[in-house]
Every structure is written in C-alpha cells, then in structure tokens.
Amino acid sequence: MSGALRRNTSITRLLEKQSFTDFTDPINRIHPFLRNQTQTQAREYFRFSNVLRKVREYEISPFLFTSSSSTASFWKVGFVGWYLGMVKSWPVLTKSVTSSLIYITADLSSQTISKSSSEPYDYDLVRTLRMAGYGMLILGPSLHFWFNLMSKLFPKRDLITTFKKMAMGQLLYGPAMTVVFFSVNARLQGESGEEIVARLKRDLLPTMLNGVMYWPFCDFITFRFIPVHLQPLVSNSFSYLWTVYMTYMASLEKPVAITS
C-alpha cells in the first residue's frame, strides 16, 4: 500500500508541474510546427483583409507607379485598385480621360464599320481628334457633375428614385448633350449657324428616338446598382455602342437644302 501511495504522490506532483494550457491548447501540446502555421495563416488573413479594406475605401495612392517597385505594386494592387485611387484623387480628370479614350475607340470603330471591305482603311484622324476633344472637354466633366447632382437631388437608390433619375436624364441631360454634340462637331467642321440649325432639324429627332430605345435600360442599371463615383465610368462603357452611332450621324453630309 505504501508503494501505491508513493506512486499516486508522484503523479500528483507531475500534474502540478505541467502547465494547464497544454491541455486547453492541444495544437500547442502536439507539435510546435502546427502552432507556427496557425499563427502565420492568421497574420496573412488580417494582412489580406487590410488590403481589401483599403481598396474599398479607395485609399490607394495615385502615385503608386512612381516608385522603384512600381511593377510589383501594380500586380499586387491591380489596375482596378489604381483606377479607383485615381477617381478619388482626380475625379474630373480621370473621368474626362476615360470618356476621351472611349470616344476615340468608338470613332475608329465607326469608321471601320462604315468602310467596305474593298476600300483601304484610311482613317480620318482629324475627325477622331474632334471626338477625343469632345469626350475630354465636354462629356467627361458634364457626366461627373450630372451624376453628382442626381445623387444630391435624389439620394436614395430605390426603384421610384431610379425612375426619377432616368426621366431627368431622358428629358434634360440627353437632349442637351445631343444638341451640344452635333453643334460643336458641325462648328469644328466649318459649318455656319444656319447649317447647324438645319442639321439639328434633320438629325436630332431620329437620334433622340433611337436614344429612347437604348438609354433607359443603361440608365436603370447605372442609377440602381452603381455607386455615384463610378457611374460616369459605367455610363461611358454603355456609351461605346451609342458613340459609334453618334459619330456616324455627326459625319453625315450637310442637309441638301442648305448646300443647294
């Protein structure tokens, strides 16, 4: 009996010396490698979460590519993150450049489509430059201020508010910008005031009717689902096909009644 008592006493002493955390943390008890791996994964998770949070808050610096590690930074953050940082830092300039690039692409596409397969691809670069200037100086800034105005007048994004924004776009912004587009383009081509009026009488109504069949769907998606600071980008993306049509209409000859 005294031997058994001594063995029990020894076991009790071992238990007292053993840390209690060894039983509550089996990974720490089984193998230190597993513990290190768990801690590493936790650190990586929180680091990745911080990157996502910065992208959401658009706190990415527009000077990201000026450092010596620009290439690595680009692939780490990505073009989308860089663009969002530019939108936050220089919203008007970024949206204007985006609009200009879309107009350049759309005009070149329009010229390509209008040419027959037998004709050489001799592009009118002056015409393309006019479209680029319109997107850069007029459409881009106007889209920025228009969408900001709509978000202030109608801050909600419910269905009724979305239809109100769509109606404002179709009744006010769309017609106004169509008139400006035809007028500016005609003036840059050397047309007189009477010729511009005649062009508007001929081309404005058909263009507006075609716009009613295209833009309400685009405006619904833009106003209903897209944040206000990205709405010009989405609207410009939708406007690619529309710009192909608009540049074609703007390239038509003067009305016969004026030139005769």
Side-chain angles (χ1 to χ4, degrees):
M1 179 177 289
S2 60
L5 182 60
R6 285 196 299 271
R7 284 195 298 271
N8 291 336
T9 304
S10 300
I11 293 173
T12 304
R13 291 176 180 176
L14 288 174
L15 291 175
E16 291 175 352
K17 293 180 179 180
Q18 182 65 36
S19 174
F20 183 71
T21 58
D22 290 343
F23 294 96
T24 59
D25 189 0
I27 295 179
N28 186 49
R29 176 66 177 169
I30 294 173
H31 205 295
F33 176 76
L34 296 178
R35 178 190 60 200
N36 294 335
Q37 287 292 101
T38 303
Q39 294 175 351
T40 302
Q41 292 175 359
R43 287 195 298 270
E44 292 296 329
Y45 170 79
F46 287 113
R47 188 181 298 114
F48 181 71
S49 301
N50 290 333
V51 172
L52 290 180
R53 178 177 56 81
K54 290 183 179 181
V55 171
R56 293 193 197 98
E57 296 175 357
Y58 315 112
E59 294 178 352
I60 300 171
S61 173
F63 300 100
L64 182 64
F65 305 108
T66 59
S67 63
S68 59
S69 60
S70 59
T71 304
S73 299
F74 177 83
W75 290 112
K76 182 177 180 180
V77 179
F79 175 78
V80 174
W82 172 80
Y83 184 84
L84 294 177
M86 296 292 291
V87 168
K88 180 182 179 181
S89 300
W90 296 300
V92 178
L93 178 61
T94 303
K95 296 167 187 178
S96 298
V97 172
T98 302
S99 179
S100 179
L101 292 176
I102 290 176
Y103 260 72
I104 291 174
T105 306
D107 181 66
L108 294 176
S109 300
S110 177
Q111 293 188 47
T112 303
I113 295 172
S114 62
K115 293 180 181 295
S116 62
S117 58
S118 59
E119 295 179 352
Y121 288 102
D122 186 15
Y123 293 101
D124 186 353
L125 297 182
V126 176
R127 165 182 157 177
T128 304
L129 184 61
R130 288 198 305 267
M131 300 304 164
Y134 174 81
M136 180 75 179
L137 302 176
I138 299 178
L139 184 65
S142 69
L143 282 174
H144 170 78
F145 293 111
W146 172 257
F147 284 118
N148 284 344
L149 176 63
M150 289 296 98
S151 67
K152 292 179 180 179
L153 295 178
F154 309 104
K156 297 181 180 179
R157 292 169 62 183
D158 57 276
L159 196 60
I160 301 300
T161 304
T162 300
F163 284 127
K164 291 179 181 179
K165 295 177 181 179
M166 292 169 56
M168 294 285 286
Q170 292 299 312
L171 296 176
L172 297 179
Y173 184 78
M177 296 309 298
T178 303
V179 171
V180 171
F181 175 78
F182 282 134
S183 301
V184 170
N185 186 74
R187 175 62 70 181
L188 292 176
Q189 293 184 81
E191 296 184 14
S192 64
E194 293 180 355
E195 291 172 334
I196 293 175
V197 172
R199 178 181 290 275
L200 291 175
K201 290 180 179 179
R202 184 192 68 181
D203 298 337
L204 182 60
L205 183 58
T207 303
M208 294 302 303
L209 293 177
N210 289 328
V212 169
M213 293 185 292
Y214 179 74
W215 276 110
F217 170 76
C218 304
D219 288 342
F220 179 81
I221 295 177
T222 303
F223 286 121
R224 187 77 169 88
F225 303 108
I226 307 301
V228 62
H229 60 281
L230 294 179
Q231 285 176 355
L233 173 62
V234 176
S235 180
N236 275 322
S237 301
F238 282 127
S239 69
Y240 169 77
L241 293 176
W242 180 250
T243 304
V244 172
Y245 168 75
M246 288 288 288
T247 54
Y248 166 76
M249 293 294 294
S251 66
L252 295 178
E253 296 294 334
K254 302 176 184 179
V256 178
I258 297 298
T259 57
S260 59

